[in-house]
Amino acid sequence: FRIWRRGKIRNVRFPVEAPPEIPKKGTTELSGAHPLQGATVANLSPALADEIGVDILKTGVVITEIRRASPAHRLNFRPGDIVRGVNGSEIGSVQELQRVLVSQVSRWRLAVEREGNVHSVVINR
């Protein structure tokens, strides 16, 4: 880069690096009796965010695939959706999501971010 500083042009060099993959993807297809059954999810790192075209500063758990005819497919979840919360618990990792999804509840409340907007979804069993 060339910058203008104090009346002089200066050259500045710095290395360009790929976004880090921290946390690791932890890609998992979800199974069980819950609305996200059939969704494949991953931990959202700067590297994965760059790969799928979302803001590299976003964190959380992103849906990467949806199995056809699964509950997640029928409920219109999509690849790129970011799961922000389930039943009042914030979701920051695939492991946290899996832990919350084993609950036996009669009503699921999900917060899902799609294209920058967070949507609340309520699903009765």
Side-chain angles (χ1 to χ4, degrees), residues 44-123:
L44 190 55
S45 66
L48 180 57
D50 187 49
E51 182 181 317
I52 64 175
V54 299
D55 182 345
I56 64 170
L57 298 177
K58 291 207 183 263
T59 60
V61 175
V62 65
I63 297 174
T64 58
E65 294 179 49
I66 299 286
R67 190 170 21 88
R68 291 188 61 78
S70 67
H73 181 258
R74 287 191 301 274
L75 291 167
N76 202 32
F77 290 105
R78 300 180 194 164
D81 287 351
I82 301 171
V83 181
R84 292 286 173 211
V86 176
N87 293 341
S89 296
E90 285 187 36
I91 302 300
S93 69
V94 170
Q95 186 177 16
E96 289 173 3
L97 179 59
Q98 288 178 302
R99 189 171 32 249
V100 172
L101 290 176
V102 297
S103 302
Q104 298 294 323
V105 297
S106 59
R107 176 177 292 165
W108 292 95
R109 290 178 204 86
L110 288 89
V112 177
E113 182 178 338
R114 180 179 291 166
E115 297 175 357
N117 299 308
V118 178
H119 304 275
S120 295
V121 181
V122 178
I123 301 147

Side-chain angles (χ1 to χ4, degrees), residues 11-33:
N11 291 320
V12 178
R13 291 178 173 236
F14 58 91
V16 177
E17 297 178 5
E21 190 177 332
I22 300 171
K24 295 289 184 188
K25 279 185 186 179
T27 304
T28 304
E29 182 175 344
L30 300 173
S31 60

